[in-house]
């Protein structure tokens, strides 16, 4: 496996995440799960937040495990996440608050009234 390139992927889902390794030898791609972990949320009234510190720690664990297994063969890392959740970052690069989980109830009412405001055809 010395000449194979390894591409890492971090996939964050609603209930779990994983670090995957894609090994490419020039003609064949082989996928291996390096580390799977929960993506917990925490309820701190009035919102459900992602436990971003636990998720971050799990990602680092998976990346370290991949580094130990593949070392210099790793050529890239990609991340796929929820796509609708976000964290606000200040001018110093500091996260202002934990990201609110997309399953939190704060979006129910706006989405329920959207068809009446815009019309189903437009949506």
């Amino acid at each position: 496996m010395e000449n194979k390139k390894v591409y890492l992927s971090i996939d964050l889902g609603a209930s779990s995440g994983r670090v995957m390794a894609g090994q490419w030898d020039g003609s064949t791609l082989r996928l291996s799960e390096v580390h799977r972990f929960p993506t917990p949320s925490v309820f701190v009234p009035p919102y459900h937040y992602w436990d971003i510190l636990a998720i971050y720690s799990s990602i680092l664990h998976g990346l370290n495990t991949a580094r130990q297994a593949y070392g210099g063969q790793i050529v890239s890392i990609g991340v796929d996440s929820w796509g609708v959740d976000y964290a606000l970052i200040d001018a110093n690069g500091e996260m202002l608050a934990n990201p609110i989980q997309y399953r939190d109830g704060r979006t129910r009412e706006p989405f329920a009234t959207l068809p009446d405001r815009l019309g189903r055809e437009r949506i």
Side-chain angles (χ1 to χ4, degrees):
M1 278 198 212
E2 288 299 319
N3 59 353
K4 293 184 181 181
K5 293 182 180 179
V6 176
Y7 302 85
L8 298 181
S9 170
I10 301 166
D11 175 29
L12 299 175
S15 60
S16 69
R18 60 190 177 162
V19 175
M20 296 288 295
Q23 298 174 343
W24 178 250
D25 65 6
S27 63
T28 304
L29 177 66
R30 192 176 117 222
L31 298 177
S32 303
E33 184 175 276
V34 176
H35 178 56
R36 182 175 288 269
F37 52 91
T39 52
S41 65
V42 177
F43 181 66
V44 180
Y47 302 117
H48 286 89
Y49 296 90
W50 288 112
D51 186 351
I52 199 69
L53 298 178
I55 294 168
Y56 179 69
S57 178
S58 294
I59 291 169
L60 291 180
H61 176 79
L63 292 175
N64 189 49
T65 301
R67 182 187 57 79
Q68 291 173 1
Y70 303 109
Q73 295 174 280
I74 299 169
V75 295
S76 72
I77 301 171
V79 179
D80 175 44
S81 68
W82 310 283
V84 296
D85 297 334
Y86 56 90
L88 298 175
I89 308 295
D90 70 13
N92 297 318
E94 299 286 330
M95 188 170 55
L96 296 174
N98 280 342
I100 298 174
Q101 188 186 49
Y102 72 92
R103 290 181 174 178
D104 184 76
R106 77 193 186 292
T107 59
R108 284 192 193 114
E109 186 178 333
F111 280 111
T113 62
L114 198 58
D116 294 335
R117 292 180 19 213
L118 296 178
R120 292 194 183 276
E121 297 80 28
R122 185 172 180 197
I123 294 173

